[in-house]
Amino acid sequence: MFYYIIDILGTIAFAISGVLVAMEKKLDLFGVCIIAFVTAVGGGTLRDMLIGDTPVMWMRSSDYVITILGSVVFAILFVNQLKYLRRTLFLFDTIGIGLFTMVGIEKGISADLMPVMCIFLGTITASFGGVIRDILCNEIPVIFRKEVYATACVFGGISYFLLIKLPWAGAFSYVTAILIIIIIRLLAVRFKIALPNIYRNKK
Protein backbone atom coordinates (compact mmCIF):
# COMPACT_ATOMS: atom_id res chain seq x y z
CA MET A 1 0.00 0.00 0.00
CA PHE A 2 2.90 2.39 0.77
CA TYR A 3 4.42 1.92 -2.69
CA TYR A 4 0.99 2.21 -4.32
CA ILE A 5 0.38 5.55 -2.58
CA ILE A 6 3.79 6.83 -3.74
CA ASP A 7 2.96 5.73 -7.31
CA ILE A 8 -0.40 7.53 -7.26
CA LEU A 9 1.13 10.69 -5.77
CA GLY A 10 3.76 10.68 -8.52
CA THR A 11 1.05 10.23 -11.13
CA ILE A 12 -0.84 13.24 -9.75
CA ALA A 13 2.31 15.41 -9.64
CA PHE A 14 3.33 14.60 -13.22
CA ALA A 15 -0.22 14.87 -14.58
CA ILE A 16 -0.54 18.38 -13.13
CA SER A 17 2.85 19.37 -14.53
CA GLY A 18 1.68 18.13 -17.93
CA VAL A 19 -1.51 20.17 -17.67
CA LEU A 20 0.43 23.33 -16.82
CA VAL A 21 2.77 22.89 -19.81
CA ALA A 22 -0.16 22.18 -22.15
CA MET A 23 -2.05 25.25 -20.91
CA GLU A 24 1.03 27.43 -21.40
CA LYS A 25 1.06 26.20 -25.00
CA LYS A 26 -2.68 27.01 -25.25
CA LEU A 27 -3.68 23.49 -26.31
CA ASP A 28 -7.34 22.49 -26.44
CA LEU A 29 -8.94 20.20 -23.85
CA PHE A 30 -8.04 17.04 -25.74
CA GLY A 31 -4.44 18.19 -26.07
CA VAL A 32 -4.27 18.99 -22.35
CA CYS A 33 -5.53 15.49 -21.49
CA ILE A 34 -3.04 13.81 -23.84
CA ILE A 35 -0.07 15.78 -22.50
CA ALA A 36 -1.13 15.06 -18.90
CA PHE A 37 -1.45 11.35 -19.72
CA VAL A 38 1.91 10.90 -21.45
CA THR A 39 3.67 12.93 -18.75
CA ALA A 40 2.19 10.79 -15.99
CA VAL A 41 2.62 7.31 -17.49
CA GLY A 42 5.20 7.71 -20.29
CA GLY A 43 8.21 6.81 -18.17
CA GLY A 44 6.40 3.97 -16.41
CA THR A 45 5.23 2.54 -19.73
CA LEU A 46 8.78 2.45 -21.11
CA ARG A 47 10.03 0.91 -17.84
CA ASP A 48 7.44 -1.88 -17.90
CA MET A 49 8.17 -2.65 -21.54
CA LEU A 50 11.90 -2.90 -20.82
CA ILE A 51 11.41 -5.46 -18.04
CA GLY A 52 8.64 -7.34 -19.87
CA ASP A 53 5.96 -6.42 -17.34
CA THR A 54 3.05 -6.31 -19.77
CA PRO A 55 0.32 -5.24 -20.13
CA VAL A 56 1.81 -2.06 -18.69
CA MET A 57 0.56 -0.77 -15.35
CA TRP A 58 -2.08 1.70 -16.54
CA MET A 59 -3.69 -0.99 -18.73
CA ARG A 60 -4.10 -3.32 -15.76
CA SER A 61 -5.74 -0.82 -13.42
CA SER A 62 -8.21 1.99 -14.07
CA ASP A 63 -6.85 3.81 -11.02
CA TYR A 64 -4.18 5.54 -13.11
CA VAL A 65 -6.57 6.82 -15.78
CA ILE A 66 -9.05 8.03 -13.14
CA THR A 67 -6.23 9.71 -11.19
CA ILE A 68 -4.95 11.49 -14.31
CA LEU A 69 -8.41 12.70 -15.31
CA GLY A 70 -9.05 13.91 -11.77
CA SER A 71 -5.71 15.76 -11.80
CA VAL A 72 -6.58 17.39 -15.13
CA VAL A 73 -9.93 18.61 -13.79
CA PHE A 74 -8.30 19.87 -10.58
CA ALA A 75 -5.54 21.76 -12.42
CA ILE A 76 -7.98 23.36 -14.87
CA LEU A 77 -10.43 24.42 -12.14
CA PHE A 78 -7.75 25.89 -9.90
CA VAL A 79 -5.40 27.28 -12.54
CA ASN A 80 -6.14 30.83 -11.34
CA GLN A 81 -4.99 29.86 -7.86
CA LEU A 82 -1.74 28.56 -9.34
CA LYS A 83 -0.54 32.12 -9.87
CA TYR A 84 3.02 31.39 -10.85
CA LEU A 85 2.71 28.64 -13.46
CA ARG A 86 6.40 28.16 -14.09
CA ARG A 87 7.18 27.96 -10.40
CA THR A 88 4.28 25.58 -9.83
CA LEU A 89 5.28 23.46 -12.83
CA PHE A 90 8.81 23.20 -11.48
CA LEU A 91 7.55 22.17 -8.04
CA PHE A 92 5.23 19.43 -9.32
CA ASP A 93 7.87 18.22 -11.78
CA THR A 94 10.44 18.01 -8.99
CA ILE A 95 8.10 16.11 -6.66
CA GLY A 96 7.22 13.81 -9.54
CA ILE A 97 10.80 12.82 -10.33
CA GLY A 98 11.47 12.08 -6.66
CA LEU A 99 8.44 9.84 -6.31
CA PHE A 100 8.76 8.08 -9.67
CA THR A 101 12.47 7.38 -9.30
CA MET A 102 11.73 5.23 -6.27
CA VAL A 103 8.75 3.56 -7.95
CA GLY A 104 11.05 2.54 -10.82
CA ILE A 105 13.74 1.31 -8.44
CA GLU A 106 11.20 -0.78 -6.57
CA LYS A 107 10.06 -2.31 -9.89
CA GLY A 108 13.68 -3.18 -10.68
CA ILE A 109 14.16 -4.80 -7.28
CA SER A 110 10.97 -6.83 -7.80
CA ALA A 111 12.40 -8.00 -11.15
CA ASP A 112 15.63 -9.12 -9.36
CA LEU A 113 17.80 -6.66 -11.26
CA MET A 114 21.19 -5.51 -10.00
CA PRO A 115 21.24 -2.12 -8.19
CA VAL A 116 22.73 -0.18 -11.13
CA MET A 117 19.94 -1.43 -13.41
CA CYS A 118 17.36 -0.53 -10.76
CA ILE A 119 18.71 3.03 -10.67
CA PHE A 120 18.61 3.09 -14.47
CA LEU A 121 14.95 2.02 -14.41
CA GLY A 122 14.15 4.60 -11.74
CA THR A 123 15.72 7.37 -13.83
CA ILE A 124 13.76 6.27 -16.92
CA THR A 125 10.52 6.18 -14.92
CA ALA A 126 11.12 9.67 -13.58
CA SER A 127 12.47 11.33 -16.70
CA PHE A 128 10.91 9.98 -19.87
CA GLY A 129 7.35 11.13 -19.24
CA GLY A 130 8.76 14.66 -19.19
CA VAL A 131 10.84 13.93 -22.30
CA ILE A 132 7.73 12.87 -24.25
CA ARG A 133 5.81 15.87 -22.89
CA ASP A 134 8.48 18.35 -23.96
CA ILE A 135 8.89 16.81 -27.41
CA LEU A 136 5.13 16.95 -28.06
CA CYS A 137 5.10 20.58 -26.86
CA ASN A 138 8.04 21.46 -29.14
CA GLU A 139 10.52 22.01 -26.31
CA ILE A 140 14.02 20.66 -25.78
CA PRO A 141 13.56 18.10 -22.95
CA VAL A 142 14.93 19.26 -19.61
CA ILE A 143 16.91 16.03 -19.25
CA PHE A 144 18.96 16.95 -22.33
CA ARG A 145 19.74 20.45 -21.15
CA LYS A 146 22.37 21.41 -18.58
CA GLU A 147 19.92 21.45 -15.66
CA VAL A 148 20.42 18.87 -12.91
CA TYR A 149 17.53 16.46 -13.54
CA ALA A 150 18.43 12.86 -14.24
CA THR A 151 21.56 13.35 -12.12
CA ALA A 152 19.35 13.98 -9.09
CA CYS A 153 17.55 10.69 -9.77
CA VAL A 154 20.85 8.83 -9.93
CA PHE A 155 22.09 10.30 -6.64
CA GLY A 156 18.78 9.52 -4.99
CA GLY A 157 18.95 5.93 -6.21
CA ILE A 158 22.50 5.50 -4.94
CA SER A 159 21.53 6.93 -1.56
CA TYR A 160 18.62 4.47 -1.34
CA PHE A 161 20.85 1.44 -1.84
CA LEU A 162 23.26 2.78 0.77
CA LEU A 163 20.46 3.51 3.26
CA ILE A 164 18.81 0.08 3.01
CA LYS A 165 21.97 -1.43 4.48
CA LEU A 166 21.14 0.27 7.78
CA PRO A 167 19.41 -1.92 10.38
CA TRP A 168 16.49 0.53 10.75
CA ALA A 169 15.95 1.11 7.03
CA GLY A 170 12.51 0.20 5.64
CA ALA A 171 10.24 3.09 4.69
CA PHE A 172 12.77 5.55 6.12
CA SER A 173 15.29 4.84 3.36
CA TYR A 174 12.56 5.11 0.73
CA VAL A 175 11.27 8.49 1.92
CA THR A 176 14.78 9.83 2.53
CA ALA A 177 15.87 8.97 -1.01
CA ILE A 178 12.81 10.81 -2.38
CA LEU A 179 13.68 13.87 -0.29
CA ILE A 180 17.31 13.74 -1.43
CA ILE A 181 16.21 13.84 -5.08
CA ILE A 182 13.85 16.75 -4.45
CA ILE A 183 16.41 18.71 -2.40
CA ILE A 184 19.21 18.20 -4.98
CA ARG A 185 16.95 19.48 -7.75
CA LEU A 186 15.74 22.47 -5.70
CA LEU A 187 19.27 23.43 -4.63
CA ALA A 188 20.63 23.02 -8.16
CA VAL A 189 18.06 25.44 -9.55
CA ARG A 190 18.28 27.84 -6.60
CA PHE A 191 22.07 28.15 -6.81
CA LYS A 192 22.29 27.62 -10.60
CA ILE A 193 24.33 24.42 -10.27
CA ALA A 194 24.62 22.70 -13.64
CA LEU A 195 26.58 20.02 -15.42
CA PRO A 196 29.59 21.24 -17.45
CA ASN A 197 28.78 22.58 -20.90
CA ILE A 198 30.94 20.92 -23.56
CA TYR A 199 30.45 23.82 -25.95
CA ARG A 200 32.62 26.90 -25.65
CA ASN A 201 31.46 30.33 -26.72
CA LYS A 202 33.04 31.48 -29.93
CA LYS A 203 34.66 34.90 -29.90
Side-chain angles (χ1 to χ4, degrees), residues 2-4 6-7 10 14 47 94-110 118-119 121-127 152-164 170-182:
F2 175 75
Y3 300 127
Y4 172 77
I6 294 295
D7 200 4
F14 267 161
R47 174 203 66 215
T94 300
I95 294 171
I97 65 170
L99 296 169
F100 270 6
T101 297
M102 295 313 303
V103 170
I105 286 176
E106 188 62 31
K107 277 267 190 174
I109 293 173
S110 299
C118 292
I119 295 172
L121 273 186
T123 303
I124 285 177
T125 306
S127 302
C153 303
V154 172
F155 277 114
I158 292 171
S159 67
Y160 174 73
F161 282 103
L162 293 175
L163 287 168
I164 59 175
F172 168 81
S173 55
Y174 204 91
V175 173
T176 302
I178 291 172
L179 292 175
I180 286 172
I181 294 168
I182 293 172

Side-chain angles (χ1 to χ4, degrees), residues 104-142:
I105 286 176
E106 188 62 31
K107 277 267 190 174
I109 293 173
S110 299
D112 294 323
L113 299 180
M114 63 182 74
V116 66
M117 290 295 105
C118 292
I119 295 172
F120 179 65
L121 273 186
T123 303
I124 285 177
T125 306
S127 302
F128 273 78
V131 169
I132 299 170
R133 174 198 67 204
D134 292 343
I135 290 173
L136 290 177
C137 291
N138 199 30
E139 297 280 351
I140 298 174
V142 177

